[in-house]
Structure formats: C-alpha cells, structure tokens
Amino acid sequence: MNVKIIGVGKLKEKYLKYGIAEYAKRLQKFAKFEVIEVPDEKAPEQLSQAQMDQVMAKEGERILSKIKDKEYVFALAIKGQERSSEELAAEIDKLALRGDSDLTFVIGGSLGLAPEVIARANTQISFGRFTLPHQLMRLVLTEQIYRAFMINQGSPYHK
C-alpha cells in the first residue's frame, strides 16, 4: 500500500518534523509513506474574497499536480465527515481489499482547499470543528493513519 500526505506550506517546527518522522518510521512496516509539501501562496493579511479564491486556486493547482488518476483521495475539510479511528481503519481496510492501494490525504493551507481539490477528492474527512494549524494537522493525521494500521492488525496500541 502507498500512503501519501500532501500539505500546503513548508513545515518549520522541529517538534512537528520529529513527530511525523517517528510515525513515518513506524508506518514503514505497513505501507510506503511520504509527505509532499507544496508551496503556499504568499498573500497579505487582509484579503478580499476574490483574492482568497485566487490564493486557494493557485495552491489547488499545486496540490492537483501531485495527485495521480489512480489515487484514492481524502480531502481534509471542516465540512467533511467525521470518523472515529476505528471507522478510518475500517475504511482503509475496505479500500485495500477493493484494490485501492494508493491513498492520498490532502491538507490545504490556512484558507482551506480550492473547490477543484474538493471535487477531485473521493471523500472528505473532518477531524471536528476545531481550528488547528495545518502544520499541526500533518502530525495528527500521520498518527491517525498509523493508528488505523495498528487497529487493523489487532494491536493493543489503540487502547
């Protein structure tokens, strides 16, 4: 199985890099795992709706350029469906059994995801209504992907 996270912006915080690296190392026994960073679009603090749409569109183009046709895409979006860890694990297991072995999770920038990215996604997933920095979300997501694989193998890690 191949699992990929596409995130907007460069991760700078060492503690986040360390955490992601730790879970990436653990995931190696289950899947080929990679994190792809696409550049965020520089923009002033105060943006009009048209400027926000333009920023999201440019970031969206960068994201879409990293997604292949055969990939099953999870878009992280506030309006997405919330799943428990067990539900995510079951979904990943079901996809693997169905032959969908290339999973891609997409985390947008601070403005969210462009409509084109949402349209390309096979499903939208939400981690709740909290607002989290998209850099921190990479670590949370990586841990949840690892947890899903551990649940699927019946490991006590999840308890």
Side-chain angles (χ1 to χ4, degrees):
M1 180 162 275
N2 299 303
V3 179
K4 174 169 62 177
I5 295 175
I6 301 173
V8 173
K10 186 152 183 68
L11 199 60
K12 298 175 185 97
E13 296 83 356
K14 287 183 181 181
Y15 73 96
L16 294 174
K17 287 181 180 181
Y18 176 79
I20 292 168
E22 177 61 30
Y23 287 111
K25 184 174 81 176
R26 294 180 188 188
L27 274 164
Q28 287 176 356
K29 64 181 172 180
F30 303 110
K32 179 180 179 245
F33 177 77
E34 67 177 319
V35 177
I36 296 175
E37 295 178 338
V38 297
D40 55 346
E41 187 64 22
K42 303 299 177 212
E45 281 293 317
Q46 299 296 322
L47 298 173
S48 68
Q49 186 61 51
Q51 290 170 314
M52 286 192 283
D53 292 343
Q54 186 177 20
V55 166
M56 286 192 299
K58 287 181 180 177
E59 291 174 349
E61 288 172 12
R62 293 174 188 143
I63 291 167
L64 291 171
S65 75
K66 304 297 182 187
I67 299 173
K68 296 180 180 90
D69 288 342
K70 66 179 181 167
E71 294 173 7
Y72 188 93
V73 178
F74 293 83
L76 274 67
I78 291 172
K79 293 180 180 177
Q81 179 186 359
E82 290 184 32
R83 291 160 173 82
S84 67
S85 297
E86 295 87 356
E87 289 168 335
L88 179 61
E91 188 169 1
I92 288 172
D93 194 46
K94 179 181 167 189
L95 288 167
L97 290 172
R98 194 172 79 187
D100 286 316
S101 60
D102 295 303
L103 307 182
T104 298
F105 294 82
V106 180
I107 303 171
S110 59
L111 298 177
L113 290 169
E116 296 81 7
V117 176
I118 297 292
R120 168 56 183 90
N122 298 87
T123 189
Q124 294 180 48
I125 188 169
S126 173
F127 280 70
R129 294 173 47 200
F130 288 118
T131 300
L132 296 171
H134 53 279
Q135 297 91 344
L136 176 60
M137 197 61 229
R138 287 187 207 174
L139 175 57
V140 173
L141 175 60
T142 305
E143 190 280 335
Q144 283 298 301
I145 294 168
Y146 174 69
R147 182 176 296 273
F149 280 100
M150 295 301 283
I151 289 169
N152 286 341
Q153 80 162 24
S155 170
Y157 172 83
H158 178 58
K159 303 290 182 234

